[in-house]
Coordinates of all heavy atoms in Angstrom, one line a residue:
M1180 N 0.8 -1.2 0.0 CA 0.0 0.0 0.0 C 0.9 1.2 0.0 O 1.8 1.3 0.8 CB -0.9 -0.1 1.2 CG -1.1 1.2 2.0 SD -2.3 1.0 3.3 CE -2.6 2.8 3.6
P1181 N 0.5 2.2 -0.9 CA 1.4 3.4 -1.0 C 1.4 4.2 0.3 O 0.5 4.3 1.0 CB 0.8 4.2 -2.1 CG -0.3 3.3 -2.7 CD -0.6 2.3 -1.7
F1182 N 2.6 4.8 0.5 CA 2.8 5.7 1.6 C 2.0 7.0 1.4 O 2.0 7.6 0.3 CB 4.2 6.0 1.8 CG 4.5 7.0 2.9 CD1 4.4 6.7 4.2 CD2 4.9 8.3 2.5 CE1 4.6 7.7 5.2 CE2 5.2 9.3 3.5 CZ 5.0 9.0 4.8
R1183 N 1.3 7.5 2.5 CA 0.7 8.8 2.4 C 1.1 9.6 3.7 O 0.9 9.1 4.8 CB -0.8 8.6 2.4 CG -1.4 8.1 1.1 CD -1.8 9.2 0.2 NE -2.2 8.7 -1.1 CZ -1.3 8.4 -2.1 NH1 0.0 8.6 -1.9 NH2 -1.7 8.0 -3.3
P1184 N 1.6 10.8 3.5 CA 1.9 11.6 4.7 C 0.6 11.9 5.5 O -0.4 12.0 4.8 CB 2.5 12.9 4.1 CG 2.9 12.5 2.7 CD 2.0 11.4 2.3
P1185 N 0.6 12.2 6.7 CA 1.8 12.2 7.6 C 2.3 10.8 8.0 O 1.5 9.9 8.0 CB 1.3 13.0 8.8 CG -0.1 12.6 8.9 CD -0.6 12.5 7.5
G1186 N 3.6 10.7 8.2 CA 4.2 9.5 8.6 C 5.7 9.5 8.4 O 6.2 10.5 7.9
Q1187 N 6.3 8.4 8.7 CA 7.7 8.3 8.5 C 8.0 8.0 7.1 O 7.4 7.2 6.4 CB 8.3 7.2 9.4 CG 8.6 7.6 10.8 CD 9.5 6.7 11.4 OE1 9.3 5.5 11.3 NE2 10.6 7.1 12.1
C1188 N 8.9 8.8 6.5 CA 9.4 8.6 5.1 C 9.9 7.2 5.0 O 10.7 6.7 5.7 CB 10.5 9.6 4.7 SG 11.2 9.2 3.1
P1189 N 9.3 6.4 4.0 CA 9.7 5.0 3.9 C 11.1 4.9 3.3 O 11.8 3.9 3.3 CB 8.7 4.4 2.9 CG 7.9 5.5 2.4 CD 8.2 6.8 3.1
V1190 N 11.6 6.0 2.7 CA 13.0 6.0 2.2 C 14.0 6.3 3.2 O 15.0 5.6 3.3 CB 13.0 7.0 1.0 CG1 14.4 7.0 0.4 CG2 12.0 6.7 -0.1
C1191 N 13.8 7.4 4.0 CA 14.9 7.8 4.9 C 14.5 7.8 6.3 O 15.3 7.9 7.2 CB 15.4 9.2 4.5 SG 14.3 10.5 4.9
G1192 N 13.2 7.6 6.6 CA 12.7 7.5 8.0 C 12.4 8.9 8.7 O 12.0 8.9 9.8
E1193 N 12.7 10.0 8.0 CA 12.3 11.3 8.5 C 10.8 11.4 8.6 O 10.1 10.8 7.8 CB 12.9 12.4 7.6 CG 14.3 12.7 7.9 CD 14.5 13.2 9.3 OE1 13.9 14.2 9.7 OE2 15.3 12.6 10.1
W1194 N 10.3 12.3 9.5 CA 8.9 12.5 9.6 C 8.4 13.4 8.5 O 9.0 14.4 8.2 CB 8.6 13.1 11.0 CG 7.1 13.3 11.1 CD1 6.4 14.5 10.9 CD2 6.1 12.4 11.5 NE1 5.1 14.3 11.2 CE2 4.9 13.0 11.5 CE3 6.2 11.0 11.8 CZ2 3.7 12.3 11.8 CZ3 5.0 10.3 12.1 CH2 3.8 11.0 12.1
V1195 N 7.4 13.0 7.7 CA 6.9 13.8 6.6 C 5.5 14.3 7.1 O 4.6 13.6 7.5 CB 6.7 12.9 5.4 CG1 6.2 13.8 4.2 CG2 7.9 12.2 5.0
P1196 N 5.4 15.7 7.1 CA 4.2 16.3 7.7 C 3.0 16.0 6.8 O 3.1 15.8 5.6 CB 4.5 17.8 7.7 CG 5.7 18.0 6.9 CD 6.4 16.7 6.7
R1197 N 1.8 16.2 7.4 CA 0.5 16.0 6.7 C 0.5 16.9 5.5 O 0.8 18.1 5.5 CB -0.6 16.3 7.6 CG -2.0 16.2 7.0 CD -3.1 16.6 7.9 NE -3.0 15.9 9.2 CZ -3.7 14.7 9.4 NH1 -4.4 14.2 8.4 NH2 -3.6 14.1 10.5
G1198 N 0.1 16.4 4.3 CA -0.1 17.2 3.1 C 1.2 17.4 2.3 O 1.1 18.1 1.3
A1199 N 2.3 17.0 2.9 CA 3.5 17.2 2.2 C 3.6 16.4 0.9 O 3.1 15.3 0.8 CB 4.7 16.9 3.0
A1200 N 4.0 17.1 -0.2 CA 4.1 16.4 -1.5 C 5.4 15.5 -1.5 O 5.5 14.6 -2.3 CB 4.1 17.4 -2.6
A1201 N 6.4 15.9 -0.8 CA 7.7 15.2 -0.8 C 8.3 15.3 0.5 O 8.0 16.1 1.4 CB 8.6 15.8 -1.9
C1202 N 9.3 14.3 0.8 CA 10.0 14.3 2.0 C 11.0 15.5 2.0 O 11.7 15.7 1.1 CB 10.8 13.0 2.1 SG 11.9 12.9 3.5
D1203 N 11.0 16.3 3.1 CA 11.9 17.4 3.3 C 13.3 16.9 3.3 O 14.2 17.6 2.8 CB 11.6 18.1 4.6 CG 10.4 19.1 4.4 OD1 10.1 19.4 3.3 OD2 9.9 19.5 5.5
D1204 N 13.5 15.8 3.8 CA 14.9 15.3 4.1 C 15.6 14.7 2.9 O 16.7 15.1 2.5 CB 14.9 14.3 5.3 CG 16.3 14.2 5.9 OD1 16.8 15.2 6.3 OD2 16.9 13.1 5.9
C1205 N 14.9 13.8 2.2 CA 15.6 13.1 1.1 C 14.9 13.5 -0.2 O 15.4 13.1 -1.3 CB 15.6 11.6 1.3 SG 14.0 10.9 1.2
G1206 N 13.8 14.2 -0.2 CA 13.2 14.6 -1.5 C 12.3 13.5 -2.2 O 11.9 13.7 -3.3
A1207 N 12.2 12.4 -1.5 CA 11.3 11.3 -2.1 C 9.9 11.9 -2.1 O 9.5 12.6 -1.3 CB 11.4 10.1 -1.2
C1208 N 9.2 11.5 -3.2 CA 7.8 11.9 -3.3 C 7.0 10.8 -4.0 O 7.6 9.8 -4.4 CB 7.6 13.2 -4.0 SG 8.1 13.1 -5.7
A1209 N 5.7 11.0 -4.2 CA 4.9 10.0 -4.8 C 5.4 9.7 -6.2 O 5.3 8.6 -6.7 CB 3.4 10.4 -4.8
K1210 N 5.9 10.7 -6.9 CA 6.4 10.5 -8.3 C 7.8 9.9 -8.3 O 8.0 9.0 -9.1 CB 6.4 11.9 -9.0 CG 5.1 12.2 -9.6 CD 5.2 13.6 -10.3 CE 3.8 14.0 -10.7 NZ 3.6 15.5 -10.7
S1211 N 8.7 10.4 -7.5 CA 10.0 9.8 -7.5 C 10.0 8.5 -6.9 O 11.0 7.7 -7.0 CB 11.0 10.8 -6.9 OG 10.9 10.7 -5.5
G1212 N 9.0 8.2 -6.1 CA 8.8 6.8 -5.6 C 9.1 6.7 -4.1 O 10.3 6.7 -3.7
W1213 N 8.1 6.7 -3.2 CA 8.2 6.2 -1.9 C 8.6 4.7 -2.1 O 8.1 4.1 -3.1 CB 6.9 6.3 -1.1 CG 6.4 7.6 -1.1 CD1 5.2 8.1 -1.7 CD2 6.8 8.8 -0.3 NE1 5.0 9.4 -1.4 CE2 6.0 9.9 -0.6 CE3 7.9 9.0 0.5 CZ2 6.1 11.1 0.0 CZ3 8.1 10.2 1.1 CH2 7.2 11.3 0.8
K1214 N 9.4 4.2 -1.2 CA 9.8 2.8 -1.4 C 8.7 1.8 -1.5 O 8.7 0.9 -2.3 CB 10.8 2.4 -0.3 CG 11.8 1.4 -0.7 CD 12.8 1.2 0.4 CE 14.2 1.2 -0.1 NZ 15.2 1.2 1.0
D1215 N 7.6 2.1 -0.8 CA 6.5 1.2 -0.8 C 5.8 1.1 -2.2 O 5.1 0.2 -2.5 CB 5.4 1.6 0.2 CG 5.9 1.3 1.6 OD1 7.0 0.8 1.8 OD2 5.2 1.6 2.6
D1216 N 6.0 2.1 -3.0 CA 5.4 2.2 -4.3 C 6.1 1.4 -5.4 O 5.6 1.3 -6.5 CB 5.3 3.7 -4.7 CG 3.9 4.3 -4.4 OD1 3.0 3.5 -4.1 OD2 3.8 5.5 -4.6
A1217 N 7.3 0.9 -5.0 CA 8.2 0.4 -6.0 C 7.5 -0.7 -6.9 O 7.7 -0.7 -8.1 CB 9.4 -0.2 -5.3
E1218 N 6.5 -1.4 -6.3 CA 5.9 -2.5 -7.1 C 5.1 -1.9 -8.3 O 5.0 -2.6 -9.3 CB 4.9 -3.3 -6.2 CG 5.5 -4.1 -5.1 CD 5.8 -3.2 -3.9 OE1 5.1 -2.2 -3.7 OE2 6.7 -3.5 -3.1
T1219 N 4.6 -0.7 -8.2 CA 3.8 -0.1 -9.3 C 4.7 0.2 -10.4 O 4.2 0.5 -11.5 CB 3.0 1.1 -8.8 OG1 4.0 2.1 -8.3 CG2 2.0 0.8 -7.7
Y1220 N 6.0 0.3 -10.2 CA 6.9 0.7 -11.3 C 7.6 -0.6 -11.9 O 8.6 -0.5 -12.5 CB 8.0 1.6 -10.8 CG 7.5 3.0 -10.4 CD1 7.1 3.2 -9.1 CD2 7.3 4.0 -11.3 CE1 6.6 4.4 -8.7 CE2 6.8 5.2 -10.9 CZ 6.4 5.4 -9.6 OH 5.9 6.6 -9.2
D1221 N 6.9 -1.7 -11.8 CA 7.4 -3.0 -12.3 C 7.8 -2.8 -13.8 O 7.1 -2.2 -14.5 CB 6.4 -4.1 -12.1 CG 6.9 -5.1 -11.1 OD1 8.0 -5.0 -10.7 OD2 6.1 -6.0 -10.7
G1222 N 8.9 -3.4 -14.2 CA 9.3 -3.4 -15.5 C 10.3 -2.3 -15.8 O 11.1 -2.5 -16.7
L1223 N 10.3 -1.3 -15.0 CA 11.4 -0.3 -15.2 C 12.6 -0.8 -14.5 O 12.6 -1.7 -13.6 CB 11.0 1.0 -14.5 CG 9.9 1.8 -15.3 CD1 9.6 3.1 -14.5 CD2 10.3 2.1 -16.7
D1224 N 13.8 -0.3 -14.9 CA 15.0 -0.7 -14.3 C 15.3 0.0 -13.0 O 16.0 1.0 -13.0 CB 16.2 -0.5 -15.3 CG 17.4 -1.2 -14.9 OD1 17.4 -2.0 -14.0 OD2 18.5 -1.0 -15.5
L1225 N 14.7 -0.5 -11.9 CA 14.9 0.2 -10.6 C 16.0 -0.5 -9.9 O 16.2 -1.7 -10.0 CB 13.5 0.1 -9.8 CG 12.5 1.1 -10.2 CD1 11.2 0.9 -9.5 CD2 13.0 2.6 -10.0
P1226 N 16.6 0.3 -9.0 CA 17.6 -0.3 -8.1 C 17.0 -1.3 -7.2 O 15.8 -1.2 -6.9 CB 18.2 0.9 -7.4 CG 17.4 2.1 -7.7 CD 16.5 1.7 -8.8
D1227 N 17.8 -2.3 -6.8 CA 17.2 -3.3 -5.9 C 17.0 -2.9 -4.5 O 17.3 -1.7 -4.1 CB 18.0 -4.6 -6.0 CG 19.5 -4.3 -5.8 OD1 19.8 -3.1 -5.3 OD2 20.3 -5.2 -6.0
E1228 N 16.5 -3.8 -3.7 CA 16.0 -3.4 -2.3 C 17.1 -2.8 -1.4 O 16.8 -1.9 -0.7 CB 15.4 -4.6 -1.6 CG 14.0 -5.0 -2.1 CD 13.0 -3.9 -1.8 OE1 12.9 -3.5 -0.7 OE2 12.3 -3.5 -2.8
D1229 N 18.3 -3.3 -1.5 CA 19.3 -2.8 -0.6 C 20.0 -1.5 -1.2 O 21.1 -1.1 -0.7 CB 20.3 -3.9 -0.2 CG 21.0 -4.5 -1.5 OD1 20.7 -4.0 -2.6 OD2 21.8 -5.4 -1.3
F1230 N 19.5 -1.0 -2.2 CA 20.0 0.3 -2.8 C 19.9 1.4 -1.7 O 18.8 1.6 -1.1 CB 19.1 0.7 -4.0 CG 19.5 2.0 -4.6 CD1 20.7 2.2 -5.3 CD2 18.7 3.1 -4.4 CE1 21.0 3.4 -5.8 CE2 19.0 4.4 -4.9 CZ 20.2 4.5 -5.6
D1231 N 21.0 2.0 -1.4 CA 21.0 3.0 -0.3 C 20.7 4.4 -0.8 O 21.6 5.0 -1.4 CB 22.3 3.0 0.5 CG 22.3 3.8 1.7 OD1 21.4 4.7 1.9 OD2 23.1 3.5 2.6
Y1232 N 19.5 4.9 -0.7 CA 19.1 6.1 -1.3 C 19.9 7.3 -0.7 O 20.4 8.1 -1.5 CB 17.6 6.3 -1.1 CG 17.0 7.5 -1.9 CD1 16.8 7.4 -3.3 CD2 16.7 8.7 -1.3 CE1 16.3 8.5 -4.0 CE2 16.3 9.8 -2.0 CZ 16.0 9.6 -3.4 OH 15.6 10.7 -4.1
D1233 N 20.0 7.3 0.6 CA 20.7 8.4 1.2 C 22.2 8.5 0.8 O 22.7 9.5 0.6 CB 20.6 8.3 2.8 CG 19.2 8.7 3.3 OD1 18.6 9.5 2.7 OD2 18.8 8.1 4.3
D1234 N 22.8 7.3 0.7 CA 24.1 7.2 0.3 C 24.3 7.7 -1.2 O 25.2 8.4 -1.5 CB 24.6 5.8 0.4 CG 26.1 5.7 0.1 OD1 26.9 6.4 0.8 OD2 26.5 4.9 -0.7
F1235 N 23.3 7.3 -2.0 CA 23.3 7.8 -3.4 C 23.2 9.3 -3.4 O 24.0 9.9 -4.2 CB 22.1 7.1 -4.1 CG 21.9 7.7 -5.5 CD1 22.7 7.3 -6.5 CD2 20.8 8.6 -5.7 CE1 22.5 7.8 -7.8 CE2 20.6 9.1 -7.0 CZ 21.4 8.7 -8.0
I1236 N 22.3 9.9 -2.7 CA 22.2 11.4 -2.6 C 23.5 12.0 -2.2 O 24.0 13.0 -2.8 CB 21.0 11.8 -1.7 CG1 19.7 11.3 -2.3 CG2 21.0 13.3 -1.5 CD1 19.3 12.1 -3.5
K1237 N 24.1 11.4 -1.1 CA 25.3 12.0 -0.6 C 26.4 12.0 -1.7 O 27.1 13.0 -1.9 CB 25.8 11.2 0.6 CG 26.4 12.0 1.7 CD 26.7 11.2 2.9 CE 28.2 11.2 3.2 NZ 28.6 10.1 4.0
R1238 N 26.5 10.9 -2.4 CA 27.5 10.8 -3.4 C 27.3 11.8 -4.5 O 28.2 12.4 -5.1 CB 27.6 9.3 -4.0 CG 28.7 8.5 -3.2 CD 28.7 7.1 -3.8 NE 27.5 6.4 -3.5 CZ 27.0 5.5 -4.3 NH1 27.5 5.2 -5.5 NH2 25.9 4.8 -4.0
E1239 N 26.0 11.9 -4.9 CA 25.7 12.9 -5.9 C 26.1 14.3 -5.5 O 26.7 15.1 -6.3 CB 24.1 12.9 -6.2 CG 23.7 11.7 -7.0 CD 24.3 11.7 -8.4 OE1 24.0 12.7 -9.1 OE2 25.1 10.8 -8.7
F1240 N 25.8 14.7 -4.3 CA 26.2 16.0 -3.8 C 27.7 16.1 -3.7 O 28.3 17.2 -4.0 CB 25.6 16.3 -2.4 CG 24.2 16.8 -2.5 CD1 23.1 16.0 -2.1 CD2 23.9 18.1 -3.0 CE1 21.8 16.5 -2.2 CE2 22.7 18.6 -3.1 CZ 21.6 17.8 -2.7
D1241 N 28.4 15.1 -3.3 CA 29.9 15.1 -3.3 C 30.4 15.4 -4.7 O 31.3 16.2 -4.9 CB 30.4 13.8 -2.8 CG 30.4 13.7 -1.3 OD1 30.0 14.8 -0.7 OD2 30.6 12.7 -0.7
N1242 N 29.8 14.7 -5.7 CA 30.3 14.9 -7.1 C 30.0 16.3 -7.5 O 30.9 16.9 -8.2 CB 29.6 13.9 -8.0 CG 30.1 12.5 -7.9 OD1 31.2 12.3 -7.4 ND2 29.3 11.6 -8.3
R1243 N 28.9 16.8 -7.2 CA 28.5 18.2 -7.6 C 29.5 19.2 -6.9 O 29.9 20.1 -7.6 CB 27.1 18.5 -7.2 CG 26.5 19.6 -8.0 CD 25.0 19.5 -8.0 NE 24.5 18.2 -8.5 CZ 23.3 17.8 -8.2 NH1 22.4 18.5 -7.5 NH2 22.9 16.6 -8.7
A1244 N 29.7 19.0 -5.7 CA 30.7 19.9 -4.9 C 32.0 19.9 -5.6 O 32.7 20.9 -5.7 CB 30.8 19.5 -3.5
R1245 N 32.4 18.7 -6.0 CA 33.7 18.6 -6.6 C 33.8 19.3 -8.0 O 34.7 19.9 -8.3 CB 34.1 17.1 -6.9 CG 35.5 16.8 -6.9 CD 35.8 15.3 -6.8 NE 35.4 14.9 -5.4 CZ 35.1 13.6 -5.2 NH1 35.1 12.7 -6.1 NH2 34.8 13.2 -3.9
Q1246 N 32.7 19.2 -8.7 CA 32.6 19.8 -10.0 C 32.6 21.4 -9.9 O 33.2 22.1 -10.6 CB 31.3 19.4 -10.8 CG 31.5 18.1 -11.5 CD 30.2 17.5 -11.8 OE1 29.1 18.2 -11.8 NE2 30.1 16.2 -12.1
L1247 N 31.8 21.8 -8.9 CA 31.6 23.3 -8.8 C 32.8 23.9 -8.1 O 33.3 25.0 -8.6 CB 30.4 23.6 -7.9 CG 29.0 23.3 -8.5 CD1 27.9 23.6 -7.4 CD2 28.8 24.2 -9.7
G1248 N 33.3 23.4 -7.1 CA 34.1 24.1 -6.1 C 35.5 23.7 -6.0 O 36.3 23.7 -7.0
G1249 N 35.9 23.5 -4.8 CA 37.3 23.4 -4.4 C 38.0 22.3 -5.1 O 37.4 21.3 -5.6
P1250 N 39.3 22.5 -5.2 CA 40.1 21.5 -5.9 C 40.2 20.2 -5.1 O 40.0 20.2 -3.8 CB 41.5 22.1 -5.9 CG 41.5 23.1 -4.8 CD 40.1 23.6 -4.6
T1251 N 40.4 19.1 -5.7 CA 40.6 17.8 -5.0 C 42.0 17.8 -4.4 O 42.8 18.7 -4.7 CB 40.5 16.6 -6.0 OG1 41.5 16.7 -6.9 CG2 39.1 16.6 -6.7
R1252 N 42.2 16.8 -3.5 CA 43.5 16.8 -2.8 C 44.7 16.6 -3.8 O 45.7 17.3 -3.7 CB 43.5 15.6 -1.9 CG 44.7 15.6 -0.9 CD 44.4 14.6 0.2 NE 43.3 15.1 1.0 CZ 43.2 14.9 2.3 NH1 44.1 14.2 2.9 NH2 42.2 15.3 3.0
E1253 N 44.5 15.8 -4.8 CA 45.5 15.6 -5.8 C 45.9 16.9 -6.5 O 47.0 17.3 -6.7 CB 45.1 14.5 -6.9 CG 44.9 13.2 -6.3 CD 43.4 13.0 -6.0 OE1 42.9 13.5 -5.0 OE2 42.8 12.2 -6.8
Q1254 N 44.8 17.7 -6.9 CA 45.0 18.9 -7.6 C 45.8 19.9 -6.7 O 46.7 20.6 -7.2 CB 43.7 19.5 -8.0 CG 43.1 18.8 -9.3 CD 41.7 19.3 -9.5 OE1 41.0 19.6 -8.6 NE2 41.3 19.3 -10.8
L1255 N 45.4 19.9 -5.4 CA 46.0 20.8 -4.5 C 47.5 20.5 -4.4 O 48.4 21.4 -4.5 CB 45.4 20.6 -3.1 CG 45.3 21.8 -2.2 CD1 44.5 22.9 -2.9 CD2 44.6 21.4 -0.9
W1256 N 47.9 19.2 -4.3 CA 49.3 18.8 -4.2 C 50.0 19.1 -5.5 O 51.2 19.5 -5.5 CB 49.4 17.4 -3.8 CG 49.2 17.2 -2.3 CD1 48.2 16.5 -1.7 CD2 50.0 17.7 -1.3 NE1 48.3 16.6 -0.4 CE2 49.5 17.3 -0.1 CE3 51.2 18.5 -1.2 CZ2 50.0 17.6 1.2 CZ3 51.8 18.8 0.0 CH2 51.1 18.4 1.2
R1257 N 49.4 19.0 -6.6 CA 50.0 19.3 -7.9 C 50.4 20.8 -7.9 O 51.5 21.1 -8.3 CB 49.0 19.0 -9.0 CG 49.8 18.8 -10.3 CD 48.8 18.3 -11.4 NE 48.2 17.0 -11.0 CZ 47.0 16.6 -11.5 NH1 46.4 17.3 -12.4 NH2 46.6 15.4 -11.2
W1258 N 49.5 21.6 -7.4 CA 49.8 23.1 -7.4 C 50.9 23.4 -6.4 O 51.7 24.2 -6.7 CB 48.5 23.9 -7.1 CG 47.6 24.0 -8.2 CD1 46.3 23.4 -8.3 CD2 47.8 24.7 -9.4 NE1 45.8 23.7 -9.6 CE2 46.6 24.5 -10.3 CE3 48.8 25.5 -9.9 CZ2 46.5 25.1 -11.5 CZ3 48.7 26.1 -11.2 CH2 47.6 25.8 -12.0
V1259 N 50.9 22.7 -5.3 CA 51.9 23.0 -4.3 C 53.3 22.6 -4.9 O 54.3 23.3 -4.8 CB 51.7 22.1 -3.0 CG1 52.9 22.1 -2.1 CG2 50.5 22.7 -2.3
G1260 N 53.3 21.4 -5.6 CA 54.6 21.0 -6.2 C 55.0 21.9 -7.3 O 56.2 22.3 -7.3
L1261 N 54.1 22.4 -8.1 CA 54.4 23.4 -9.1 C 55.0 24.7 -8.5 O 56.0 25.2 -9.0 CB 53.2 23.7 -9.9 CG 53.4 24.4 -11.3 CD1 54.2 23.5 -12.2 CD2 52.0 24.8 -11.9
A1262 N 54.4 25.2 -7.4 CA 54.8 26.4 -6.8 C 56.2 26.2 -6.2 O 57.1 27.1 -6.4 CB 53.9 26.8 -5.6
V1263 N 56.5 25.1 -5.6 CA 57.8 24.8 -5.1 C 58.8 24.8 -6.2 O 59.9 25.4 -6.1 CB 57.8 23.5 -4.3 CG1 59.3 23.1 -4.0 CG2 57.0 23.6 -3.0
F1264 N 58.5 24.1 -7.3 CA 59.4 24.0 -8.5 C 59.7 25.4 -9.0 O 60.8 25.7 -9.3 CB 58.7 23.2 -9.5 CG 59.5 23.1 -10.8 CD1 60.6 22.3 -10.8 CD2 59.1 23.7 -11.9 CE1 61.3 22.2 -12.0 CE2 59.8 23.6 -13.1 CZ 60.9 22.9 -13.1
I1265 N 58.7 26.3 -9.1 CA 58.9 27.6 -9.7 C 59.8 28.4 -8.8 O 60.7 29.1 -9.2 CB 57.5 28.3 -9.9 CG1 56.8 27.7 -11.0 CG2 57.7 29.8 -10.1 CD1 55.3 28.2 -11.2
V1266 N 59.6 28.3 -7.5 CA 60.4 29.1 -6.5 C 61.9 28.6 -6.6 O 62.8 29.4 -6.6 CB 59.9 28.8 -5.1 CG1 60.9 29.3 -4.0 CG2 58.6 29.6 -4.9
M1267 N 62.1 27.3 -6.8 CA 63.4 26.8 -6.9 C 64.1 27.3 -8.2 O 65.2 27.7 -8.2 CB 63.4 25.2 -6.9 CG 63.3 24.6 -5.5 SD 62.9 22.9 -5.6 CE 64.3 22.2 -6.4
V1268 N 63.3 27.2 -9.3 CA 63.9 27.7 -10.6 C 64.2 29.2 -10.5 O 65.3 29.6 -10.9 CB 62.9 27.5 -11.7 CG1 63.3 28.2 -13.0 CG2 62.8 26.0 -12.0
L1269 N 63.3 30.0 -9.9 CA 63.6 31.4 -9.7 C 64.8 31.7 -8.9 O 65.7 32.5 -9.2 CB 62.3 32.1 -9.1 CG 61.2 32.4 -10.0 CD1 60.0 33.0 -9.3 CD2 61.6 33.3 -11.2
G1270 N 64.9 30.9 -7.8 CA 66.1 31.1 -6.9 C 67.4 30.8 -7.7 O 68.4 31.5 -7.5
Y1271 N 67.3 29.7 -8.5 CA 68.5 29.3 -9.2 C 68.9 30.4 -10.2 O 70.0 30.8 -10.3 CB 68.2 28.0 -10.0 CG 69.2 27.6 -10.9 CD1 70.5 27.1 -10.5 CD2 69.0 27.7 -12.3 CE1 71.4 26.7 -11.4 CE2 70.0 27.3 -13.2 CZ 71.2 26.8 -12.7 OH 72.2 26.5 -13.6
L1272 N 67.8 30.9 -11.0 CA 68.1 31.9 -12.0 C 68.7 33.2 -11.3 O 69.6 33.8 -11.9 CB 66.8 32.3 -12.7 CG 66.3 31.2 -13.7 CD1 65.0 31.6 -14.3 CD2 67.3 30.9 -14.7
I1273 N 68.1 33.6 -10.2 CA 68.6 34.8 -9.5 C 70.0 34.6 -9.1 O 70.9 35.5 -9.3 CB 67.7 35.1 -8.3 CG1 66.3 35.7 -8.8 CG2 68.4 36.1 -7.4 CD1 65.3 35.7 -7.7
S1274 N 70.4 33.5 -8.6 CA 71.7 33.2 -8.1 C 72.7 33.2 -9.3 O 73.9 33.5 -9.2 CB 71.8 31.9 -7.3 OG 71.7 30.8 -8.1
V1275 N 72.2 32.7 -10.5 CA 73.1 32.6 -11.6 C 73.3 34.0 -12.3 O 74.5 34.3 -12.6 CB 72.5 31.6 -12.6 CG1 73.2 31.8 -14.0 CG2 72.7 30.2 -12.1
F1276 N 72.3 34.7 -12.4 CA 72.3 36.0 -13.2 C 72.6 37.2 -12.4 O 72.7 38.3 -13.0 CB 71.0 36.1 -14.0 CG 70.9 35.1 -15.1 CD1 70.0 34.1 -15.0 CD2 71.7 35.1 -16.2 CE1 69.8 33.2 -16.0 CE2 71.6 34.2 -17.2 CZ 70.6 33.2 -17.1
R1277 N 72.8 37.0 -11.1 CA 73.1 38.3 -10.4 C 74.5 38.7 -10.6 O 75.4 37.9 -10.6 CB 72.8 38.0 -8.9 CG 73.0 39.3 -8.1 CD 72.1 39.2 -6.8 NE 72.4 38.0 -6.0 CZ 71.7 37.7 -4.9 NH1 70.8 38.5 -4.4 NH2 71.9 36.6 -4.3
Ligands
ZN1947 ZN1 12.8 10.9 3.2

């Protein structure tokens, strides 16, 4: 039987208030699929039962943050290495041409 608010979100367990169209916490809704509704989407390629929706969301946000913003650790070290290299070359050039 399909989930109807109010009640605990069948996807993440957060409380979904009466009349809410979607879960505030994980964004699940009648369209994107409360877990209890999965049977009605038979035939579509849905993830299996132990699919971790919260983990999936977290990974999606991590990827997005990586695309938008700060450099990854490897990129950071590459820049640090490059800076050290440039400083060394400059120091060498200054000592040679002075
Ligand atoms: Zn939820």
Side-chain angles (χ1 to χ4, degrees):
M1180 135 175 201
F1182 172 75
R1183 288 267 173 275
Q1187 275 197 314
C1188 172
V1190 179
C1191 71
E1193 277 298 303
W1194 182 260
V1195 184
R1197 179 186 301 276
C1202 171
D1203 280 342
D1204 198 59
C1205 70
C1208 67
K1210 272 180 192 150
S1211 74
W1213 306 108
K1214 212 174 223 167
D1215 288 0
D1216 261 349
E1218 293 84 26
T1219 59
Y1220 295 92
D1221 249 352
L1223 291 180
D1224 193 9
L1225 280 174
D1227 49 11
E1228 283 298 308
D1229 57 2
F1230 177 75
D1231 191 339
Y1232 189 76
D1233 284 330
D1234 188 52
F1235 172 74
I1236 292 293
K1237 217 175 116 202
R1238 267 181 291 145
E1239 283 298 297
F1240 275 111
D1241 280 352
N1242 284 339
R1243 201 158 305 159
R1245 204 164 296 154
Q1246 280 163 14
L1247 288 179
T1251 64
R1252 190 164 296 211
E1253 297 96 285
Q1254 284 171 329
L1255 214 58
W1256 280 114
R1257 200 173 302 158
W1258 283 111
V1259 168
L1261 194 64
V1263 169
F1264 177 74
I1265 288 170
V1266 166
M1267 279 168 62
V1268 169
L1269 280 179
Y1271 173 74
L1272 290 177
I1273 287 168
S1274 70
V1275 164
F1276 290 109
R1277 184 154 51 182

